[in-house]
Amino acid sequence: MGVIYMDYNATTPADPRVVEAMLPYFTERFGNPSSPYGLAHKSRAAVERAREQMASGLGCRSSEVVFTSGGSESDNSAIKGVAFAHLPERGHIITSAIEHHAVLLTCEYLEKEFGFSVTYLPVDADGLVDAKDVRRAVRDDTWLISVMYVNNEVGTIQPLKEIADIAREHGITFHTDAVQAIGKIPVDVDALGVDLLSLSAHKLYGPKGVGALYVRAGTRMHPLVHGGSHERGMRAGTENVPGIVGLGKAVELAVDEMEIETARLTPLRDRLEKTLLSEISGVALNGHREKRIPSTANLSFLFVEGESIVLSLDMEGVAVSTGSACTTDAAGPSHVLAAMGIKPNVAQGSVRFGLGRHTREADVDRVLSLMPGIVERLRAISPLRDRA
Ligand SMILES: *Cc1c(COP(=O)(O)O)cnc(C)c1O
């Protein structure tokens, strides 16, 4: 029996249509897009075609798309890029406590090493930022607001438009990490009112190691990577042509198939969640019930460690995770659940089920058939029981 994969928030398998589009650019179409002959022009044309696909997916101009090495680089480029453009005067950045570490640690770095001040906005019990808190945090020297569109651990969707209106009113650049949003909810840079937007190919059925940053024309920022004049001087380095071709195709497919996938996955996710909540005692849902993407269920199983559930499911050939894949090595409970005010003993029992393009009814059935026994077994031997 193959592995049942339910960790689509961590990464996704590349779609075969994406791989097919990429393949020629590893071999016969290997030219450097900056070289002066026909072979190279084919690579250049492929990069620019991908840029058009991105632009139509995001509702922007193709000249506003900068290709990067992924979501982390896009987040770093956006935040350091704006901060470094304000280096002489330093100043203030507003972000939230539940951001991905690519945003949080970048802000902490700017704070510690360069003397910027940063406000880390709180979230409510559902994981939502309150736009009123954003307004209260704004200072005369606030240059940047960075709030993610969709949280990777609990799937909650932030009120971006409300925050964007505040940013616009004060002339503040607004960045969003939309890595978990593309293909799941509509992403249109003008409708959202964002100036900078990060995305990553491997979260949307494209290859790993490639992503993009949308940069609204006129945004004041510095490049992160210096060198050649690639990407209009915004990101030096010979383009990852196959990766970029894959990203363009992946975005096109994700946007085309979003509605169908949402209609298909929502009932699957709801059934998984409802059944776990009703058939196992001591289970709590983490995240907002409505304002979230259709593919994520984050549940806490009291008196057990989420990590033990993950290992037990793995032995049965089911791949899920506790919260963020990027922090599984780090000790301590999730910073996202902590910011939501979830007590450590509840947070440590959390498991994230991430559904996606290959999830079928039978996969949900299998997980539902395994979970009650696993939780019961773990609880029988759990030392946490007595401490609760
Ligand atoms: C995965 C992820 C990132 C990092 O993207 P990479 O391409 O893996 O660097 C950033 N933000 C969020 C919300 C993510 O889920």
Side-chain angles (χ1 to χ4, degrees):
M1 191 199 259
V3 170
I4 293 176
Y5 185 74
M6 275 201 198
D7 198 17
Y8 284 88
N9 301 47
T11 193
T12 61
D15 189 292
R17 294 166 290 181
V18 167
V19 176
E20 195 191 344
M22 292 172 67
L23 284 177
Y25 296 93
F26 287 105
T27 51
E28 67 263 30
R29 297 196 182 172
F30 64 89
N32 185 325
S34 302
S35 295
Y37 33 78
L39 180 68
H41 297 160
K42 285 206 172 69
S43 301
R44 168 61 53 208
V47 168
E48 296 315 317
R49 196 157 53 242
R51 210 185 298 281
E52 296 289 344
Q53 288 169 314
M54 303 293 298
S56 82
L58 300 175
C60 66
R61 284 180 255 160
S62 58
S63 58
E64 296 172 311
V65 174
V66 177
F67 291 113
T68 68
S69 70
S72 298
E73 187 190 316
S74 295
D75 286 343
N76 272 262
S77 297
I79 296 166
K80 289 176 188 162
V82 172
F84 289 164
H86 294 279
L87 207 46
E89 65 267 46
R90 303 296 192 273
H92 180 230
I93 296 167
I94 299 172
T95 187
S96 85
I98 59 157
E99 297 297 310
H100 190 273
H101 281 133
V103 168
L104 278 183
L105 297 188
T106 301
C107 288
E108 284 174 20
Y109 165 77
L110 291 169
E111 216 176 355
K112 291 206 182 85
E113 302 292 333
F114 291 91
F116 285 86
S117 40
V118 181
T119 299
Y120 301 91
L121 296 169
V123 293
D124 66 13
D126 292 329
L128 287 175
V129 169
D130 188 338
K132 287 199 284 296
D133 288 334
V134 177
R135 187 178 291 284
R136 269 195 288 273
V138 169
R139 308 190 331 201
D140 288 344
D141 63 346
T142 306
W143 309 126
L144 178 71
I145 299 174
S146 178
V147 173
M148 72 199 315
Y149 196 5
V150 171
N151 181 266
N152 45 307
E153 293 191 32
V154 292
T156 306
I157 302 167
Q158 300 299 333
L160 282 204
K161 183 68 180 99
E162 285 174 60
I163 300 171
D165 288 344
I166 297 166
R168 183 113 348 144
E169 203 182 299
H170 293 86
I172 301 167
T173 302
F174 183 30
H175 167 251
T176 192
D177 176 334
V179 170
Q180 295 285 346
I182 319 263
K184 295 166 193 156
I185 50 175
V187 176
D188 179 294
V189 294
D190 287 335
L192 293 173
V194 296
D195 303 305
L196 298 161
L197 179 145
S198 303
L199 59 89
S200 172
H202 77 97
K203 302 288 175 74
L204 48 98
Y205 308 92
K208 292 171 181 63
V210 63
L213 180 65
Y214 156 74
V215 182
R216 186 177 293 279
T219 303
R220 189 178 154 205
M221 64 188 297
H222 286 185
L224 189 66
V225 182
H226 295 86
S229 59
H230 315 85
E231 299 298 293
R232 300 168 169 260
M234 282 299 297
R235 204 275 188 176
T238 301
E239 297 86 345
N240 172 2
V241 180
I244 288 168
V245 168
L247 172 57
K249 184 71 185 171
V251 167
E252 184 181 272
L253 292 171
V255 172
D256 281 355
E257 296 175 2
M258 181 174 75
E259 253 176 77
I260 291 170
E261 275 297 276
T262 298
R264 194 179 72 78
L265 287 175
T266 308
L268 283 183
R269 191 270 317 268
D270 288 349
R271 186 160 70 85
L272 175 72
E273 199 170 85
K274 282 202 186 91
T275 312
L276 290 172
L277 282 164
S278 67
E279 296 203 342
I280 304 175
S281 64
V283 185
L285 174 68
N286 300 316
H288 199 281
R289 275 180 188 272
E290 280 95 42
K291 291 176 186 161
R292 59 177 168 152
I293 52 170
S295 54
T296 303
N298 188 315
L299 298 161
S300 278
F301 299 84
L302 300 185
F303 316 124
V304 289
E305 304 245 15
E307 203 60 41
S308 307
I309 296 178
V310 169
L311 295 175
S312 302
L313 283 173
D314 185 34
M315 285 194 282
E316 303 289 346
V318 178
V320 301
S321 77
T322 62
S324 161
C326 314
T327 52
T328 43
D329 297 339
S334 139
H335 70 285
V336 174
L337 298 183
M340 289 162 63
I342 294 171
K343 294 200 181 68
N345 65 317
V346 177
Q348 73 178 348
S350 91
V351 176
R352 180 185 64 189
F353 299 88
L355 283 58
R357 207 171 271 174
H358 300 286
T359 308
R360 297 291 175 266
E361 198 82 43
D363 303 329
V364 171
D365 291 338
R366 172 92 179 126
V367 171
L368 287 174
S369 76
L370 290 168
M371 280 300 288
I374 288 174
V375 174
E376 193 182 344
R377 237 180 358 263
L378 291 172
R379 278 182 181 165
I381 56 165
S382 170
L384 302 173
R385 219 180 173 117
D386 310 321
R387 281 199 265 127

